């Protein structure tokens, strides 16, 4: 079963900024970043309850090989997942669950 996945405006912005940075570094690096994020999203959408809740209904998925955590919210009744953050682990963790 795969759930519908929607990105919050903040998650879209965080992803785009990270994509742009990796693209400036090296083409192959941005390709790896995209592939890794895509694999993480497939895992989240196919098994939305795989990772434990960290705060309220929010879960965290560690992105392999890159310093990011994807913070999502699974809405079981709607069979949907809201991607709240593509959070760089170098940032202050107190902002991990903030919504703008």
């Amino acid at each position: 079963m795969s759930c519908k996945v929607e990105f919050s405006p903040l998650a879209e912005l965080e992803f785009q900024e990270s994509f742009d940075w990796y693209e400036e570094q090296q083409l192959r690096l941005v390709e790896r970043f995209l592939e890794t994020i895509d694999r993480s999203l497939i895992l989240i959408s196919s098994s939305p309850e795989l990772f434990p809740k960290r705060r309220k209904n929010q879960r965290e998925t560690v992105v392999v090989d890159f310093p990011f955590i994807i913070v999502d919210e699974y809405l079981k009744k709607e069979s949907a997942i809201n991607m709240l953050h593509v959070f760089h682990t170098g940032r202050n963790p107190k902002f991990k669950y903030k919504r703008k």
Side-chain angles (χ1 to χ4, degrees), residues 42-79:
I42 290 168
L43 178 62
I44 293 166
S45 68
S46 63
S47 302
E49 295 180 301
L50 179 64
F51 300 99
K53 292 179 184 176
R54 296 289 184 197
R55 188 175 203 194
K56 298 183 183 177
N57 197 33
Q58 298 175 0
R59 301 171 190 273
E60 295 180 10
T61 303
V62 175
V63 177
V64 177
D65 296 332
F66 288 90
F68 290 89
I69 293 172
I70 297 174
V71 179
D72 70 86
E73 181 177 49
Y74 176 46
L75 307 171
K76 194 171 193 168
K77 288 182 182 179
E78 293 86 356
S79 189

